[in-house]
Every structure is written in structure tokens, then in C-alpha cells.
């Protein structure tokens, strides 16, 4: 029973390029969460999605960041025109849905912007 | 809006000694409370959770936590730590099963041989 899969593990981009981070939730999980972790800081909530629906995006920067969780395929966190300040570890978590409070985390994607 | 405070950013402790990691939260409603552990270069995994009922919650690896509503605290304890407990520990809160989970800044536990 595979866990939450994130890829790539490491992603290097130059300033101005686009970054696409993928997250495949655990089998049977319909809810996905994205968090950002900076050195010496905790996990900052970004967005909470259900299949084909954004439930809460209160933690997403207003510009350049977007997320989706299509009916088929992984959830995608997309960062356009990356800047050095976007360098961080991005973690995805999934849960079965409403009524289930435990989050299952992937191993994260380390984004480095040169 | 809910928030989580972890007063100690780093806690060094000798092997086999007891440890307490502190967590305080703020919320206007009833909450669900969690402790997660993160080992180097890995994602987080759940140690224990409080949803309702008994205020003393037991988790994996010998950890336990006590919910104190009057002090809005959820401190994590272990009576005797091992080297393998060296990791980052995060306290987290959620206001419902369909709400986001908010994490504290984390406490780095270092177990000294």
C-alpha cells in the first residue's frame, strides 16, 4: 500500500522559470494539503483541495502560485516565475476526507532557485 | 483563527532522561490536537492525537500528551528518551475534521549519548 508520493524529490530552477510539484495521495484518499517549510520555521499551510475543488487557499500567495487536484492524476502545485525566496521544502499530505483528521505526509520536494 | 506556540525551539536531553516538549494553542472553539515527528529528510508522521474523551493520550514510541483545556496546552512527554528520538517535533491544531491543520514552529529534540 503505497504512501503519499511526491516528485521530484529535488528541483532546481533559475529565477523566472516555472516549477511544477506533483503529489499522488494514498490510495482511497480524496483530500490533499500542501505545506511549505523554510529552514528554522514550521510548516506553513498553503492550500487544501478535494478532487476538482479548492476548499481553502488562504495560505497561498496571491500571485504566481496555483494548485489543482484533477479528477484523474496527481495534485499539482505550480509556481510561476520563481524567485529565490521560493526556495523551500514543499510537503504534500493526504487524508481520506471529511471525518478523518490524520494527515499522511509525503517526503517532500526541495525546491532550489538559483 | 487558531494558532500554535511551541516555546522551546531546541531541547537537548541526555539518553534515558525524561523529556517534556511544550505546546500551547489558541482557538475560539473546540479543537483537535496533534503531535507529529519529522526525522531528517523525511515527511511528518503522526505520534498521537486528541479528538475527545480522556485528556491523557498515548502514542507511538512511548510518547504521551495531556490536553489541558484551562491552560490551552497539549504538552508531549516521554519518561526515558533514546538516541533514535532525535528529531523535529511539531504540535498541530485543527478546528474540525474538514478544516485545515495548523502547525507550530517545531521543537528540535537532540538526545545526547
Amino acid at each position: 500500500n503505497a504512501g503519499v508520493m511526491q516528485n521530484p524529490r529535488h528541483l532546481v530552477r533559475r529565477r523566472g522559470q516555472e516549477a511544477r510539484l506533483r503529489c499522488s495521495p494514498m490510495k482511497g484518499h480524496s483530500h490533499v494539503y500542501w505545506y511549505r517549510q523554510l529552514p528554522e520555521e514550521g510548516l506553513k499551510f498553503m492550500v487544501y483541495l478535494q478532487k476538482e475543488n479548492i476548499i481553502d487557499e488562504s495560505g497561498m500567495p496571491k500571485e504566481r502560485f496555483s494548485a489543482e487536484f484533477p479528477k484523474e492524476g496527481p495534485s499539482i502545485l505550480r509556481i510561476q516565475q520563481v524567485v529565490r525566496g521560493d526556495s523551500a521544502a514543499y510537503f504534500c499530505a493526504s487524508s481520506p476526507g471529511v471525518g478523518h483528521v490524520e494527515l499522511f505526509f509525503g517526503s517532500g520536494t526541495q525546491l532550489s532557485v538559483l | 483563527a487558531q494558532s500554535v506556540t511551541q516555546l522551546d525551539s531546541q531541547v537537548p536531553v541526555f539518553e534515558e532522561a525524561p523529556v517534556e516538549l511544550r505546546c500551547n494553542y489558541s482557538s475560539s472553539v473546540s479543537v483537535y490536537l496533534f503531535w507529529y515527528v519529522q526525522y531528517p529528510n523525511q515527511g511528518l508522521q503522526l505520534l498521537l492525537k486528541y479528538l475527545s474523551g480522556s485528556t491523557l493520550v498515548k502514542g507511538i514510541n512511548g510518547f504521551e500528551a495531556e490536553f489541558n483545556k484551562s491552560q490551552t496546552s497539549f504538552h508531549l512527554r516521554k519518561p526515558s528518551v533514546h538516541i533514535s528520538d532525535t528529531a523535529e517535533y511539531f504540535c498541530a491544531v485543527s478546528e474540525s475534521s474538514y478544516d485545515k491543520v495548523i502547525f507550530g514552529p517545531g521543537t528540535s529534540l537532540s538526545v545526547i549519548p
Side-chain angles (χ1 to χ4, degrees):
Chain A
N1 189 12
V4 178
M5 303 300 293
Q6 287 189 252
N7 66 81
R9 263 322 277 280
H10 302 277
L11 181 62
V12 179
R13 286 288 178 265
R14 295 190 181 279
R15 281 180 297 170
Q17 291 184 318
E18 178 180 287
R20 279 181 176 246
L21 288 63
R22 295 175 187 78
C23 170
S24 296
M26 286 183 68
K27 187 176 181 180
H29 287 194
S30 59
H31 288 217
V32 164
Y33 307 73
W34 284 95
Y35 289 84
R36 176 164 60 179
Q37 184 177 35
L38 291 164
E40 309 303 321
E41 297 185 21
L43 275 76
K44 300 297 184 185
F45 169 78
M46 299 182 75
V47 63
Y48 169 22
L49 309 106
Q50 193 179 10
K51 290 263 186 192
E52 299 185 283
N53 190 26
I54 296 175
I55 298 178
D56 187 336
E57 56 180 348
S58 58
M60 287 279 272
K62 297 300 181 190
E63 298 178 351
R64 301 189 297 110
F65 285 72
S66 62
E68 63 176 9
F69 188 18
K71 187 177 181 180
E72 301 292 337
S75 174
I76 305 288
L77 179 67
R78 183 183 177 202
I79 310 172
Q80 295 178 292
Q81 299 173 351
V82 295
V83 300
R84 289 213 172 115
D86 296 332
S87 295
Y90 291 83
F91 287 94
C92 167
S94 72
S95 78
V98 174
H100 297 266
V101 296
E102 180 178 352
L103 299 183
F104 295 83
F105 279 83
S107 297
T109 293
Q110 181 64 51
L111 172 65
S112 298
V113 180
L114 304 179
Chain B
Q2 68 267 42
S3 65
V4 180
T5 302
Q6 292 181 249
L7 293 173
D8 306 304
S9 60
Q10 296 183 351
V11 174
V13 62
F14 285 103
E15 193 175 12
E16 298 184 5
V19 69
E20 178 180 84
L21 305 183
R22 295 181 292 170
C23 171
N24 290 87
Y25 69 92
S26 66
S27 175
S28 57
V29 298
S30 297
V31 295
Y32 299 145
L33 294 160
F34 313 87
W35 276 98
Y36 283 81
V37 60
Q38 184 182 31
Y39 298 104
N41 300 313
Q42 294 186 25
L44 280 71
Q45 57 181 281
L46 184 69
L47 270 179
L48 48 80
K49 61 189 176 193
Y50 170 80
L51 305 182
S52 65
S54 173
T55 57
L56 183 62
V57 179
K58 293 189 183 299
I60 62 172
N61 301 339
F63 284 93
E64 63 180 33
E66 186 155 19
F67 170 56
N68 187 319
K69 188 174 181 180
S70 63
Q71 296 185 4
T72 60
S73 68
F74 191 55
H75 300 332
L76 181 71
R77 301 186 185 97
K78 186 169 182 178
S80 175
V81 296
H82 302 287
I83 296 291
S84 59
D85 293 324
T86 294
E88 192 83 14
Y89 291 80
F90 294 94
C91 183
V93 63
S94 177
E95 292 185 343
S96 74
S97 63
Y98 47 87
D99 196 11
K100 58 184 178 284
V101 179
I102 300 300
F103 287 81
T107 295
S108 178
L109 175 64
S110 298
V111 179
I112 305 164

